[in-house]
Amino acid sequence: MNQVGAWLNRNEAERAALLSLCDVRGVAAMTIQPVFEQDQSQALRVYSAADFTALDGANFGDPLTASGDLIEGDVYQLRASASSGKLRVLRTANGLEIAPKSELGRPGAVLHLDCCATFMAPDGTVVEMLLLVEMCTQGRTIAAVHVHPLIELAPRVDYALVAVDPDSAMVRFAEASCVSFVGDTRITMASGAQVAVKDLKVGDRVLTRDHGVQPVRWIGSRTERAAGAFAPIRIAAGTLNNDGDLVVSPNHCLFVYQRQDRLGAGRAEILVKAQYLLNDETVTRTSGGFVDYYQISFDQHEIIYAEGIAVETLLADDSMRPALVAELPSRPADMARRGLEVAEGALDSRHAATLLRQASVG
């Protein structure tokens, strides 16, 4: 069976897992003002596979391509003139497709999450890239291959292909979007005590915003290289009225209750991703070395208090669990809409944190 045929014959379990990867939290966004987004798409920074050329190996002279034609040991370089763009990915009843507002690709085109390709740079740096294959209208031929690197790339650097893994692509895609705390983050317990997330245990009673005291049902952890999609965001103490530095994964949403509607949302409750607040002063990206990430799950998606401010917890629905957290107890996910998620680019990141702090205190 050729590669396209294999994609078309994915079993239902794989397809169900794939459908959920674009929205790990399941937090919906509604549009009241232009600063909020309604679609459920996820923006990925990608390169065209044609921007990578094999300089050594069996595929010498050829561009990067889908997994069926990749050969370990080949060495690729990113061309100096290459520039990345945003590919917006949307989940549908049939799998992944390119969203209507995508900068790249043909809106509505079917996408296949082909593989996770692992490369090694001359200095020993391991680079993972997710390959997404865009199909032609008829769905039988490849229109384009998009490359989503999980850490920053440099042009004219030799990247040797060391592994091609179709099975891990869904997991890495999900993990890059996952909401996580670093180990020292202090969580407010039922008693009011502050306990580091790394010291929490299943069954511990945590204070939630909406449902009072709730027991922790699952705790996960993993270690990642602190680079690219996995480089944590540090929000300095006091920036959002937080007691201490809050360090979370880039896609982790912070919950803000506006006492004054400074964003023109038409309502008080909003959610904003940590990475949208980057200003290189009080909100910074912490790159270098490794980071230990922790995830917390309850019976439903909750807003809890970390370093004294409201933040979301992990939401993994039934179709997501096989791809990300297989040991997570199988419980129906709470898909209730908890507020509005601020759209990417809607806030001036230089002043966003100050604006939100002012909105929260009135």
Side-chain angles (χ1 to χ4, degrees), residues 90 96-99 105-112 133-137 143:
L90 182 68
L96 296 182
E97 68 176 38
I98 298 178
R106 179 179 61 82
V110 172
L111 280 174
H112 292 292
V133 176
E134 176 184 345
M135 305 303 294
C136 291
T137 305

Side-chain angles (χ1 to χ4, degrees), residues 33 51 80 90 95 123 159 167 199 230 250 266 270 275 278 288 291 335 357 360:
Q33 295 289 337
D51 288 331
L90 182 68
D123 64 359
Y159 292 106
D167 295 332
D199 296 327
F230 296 104
I270 64 170
Q275 63 180 328
L278 286 167
V291 58
M335 302 301 288
R357 183 179 69 250
S360 67

Side-chain angles (χ1 to χ4, degrees), residues 158-327:
D158 290 348
Y159 292 106
L161 181 62
V162 296
V164 179
D165 188 356
D167 295 332
S168 69
M170 290 189 295
V171 176
R172 295 304 282 160
F173 191 21
E175 288 176 341
S177 303
C178 191
V179 298
S180 305
F181 302 95
V182 299
D184 292 330
T185 304
R186 295 176 298 174
I187 305 298
T188 301
M189 309 301 289
S191 64
Q194 305 294 303
V195 176
V197 66
K198 66 183 180 182
D199 296 327
L200 289 179
K201 301 182 295 296
V202 171
D204 282 351
R205 291 157 56 82
V206 172
L207 179 64
T208 73
R209 181 182 185 274
D210 300 313
H211 302 107
V213 175
Q214 293 293 320
V216 175
R217 294 302 188 190
W218 178 87
I219 300 172
S221 65
R222 68 180 191 277
T223 300
E224 297 284 358
R225 185 180 296 275
F230 296 104
I233 306 299
R234 179 180 299 276
I235 302 170
T239 301
L240 293 174
N241 302 308
N242 43 312
D243 297 331
D245 288 0
L246 176 63
V247 188
V248 294
S249 56
N251 287 308
H252 207 137
C253 272
L254 313 176
F255 178 92
V256 178
Y257 185 89
Q258 297 188 103
R259 297 182 184 277
Q260 290 187 18
D261 188 8
R262 294 179 179 269
L263 296 184
R267 62 178 297 170
E269 299 177 349
I270 64 170
L271 287 165
V272 59
K273 290 182 179 179
Q275 63 180 328
Y276 294 171
L277 304 179
L278 286 167
N279 58 23
D280 294 327
E281 294 179 2
T282 59
V283 184
T284 55
R285 191 183 300 275
T286 305
S287 299
F290 293 85
V291 58
D292 293 325
Y293 275 134
Y294 289 79
Q295 305 85 39
I296 311 173
S297 183
F298 296 83
D299 285 335
Q300 56 193 338
H301 186 236
E302 296 286 2
I303 301 296
I304 63 172
Y305 298 92
E307 298 299 338
I309 62 173
V311 298
E312 68 170 338
T313 59
L314 175 69
L315 173 61
D317 62 20
D318 288 337
S319 60
M320 182 64 173
R321 290 187 181 109
L324 181 59
V325 283
E327 67 269 38

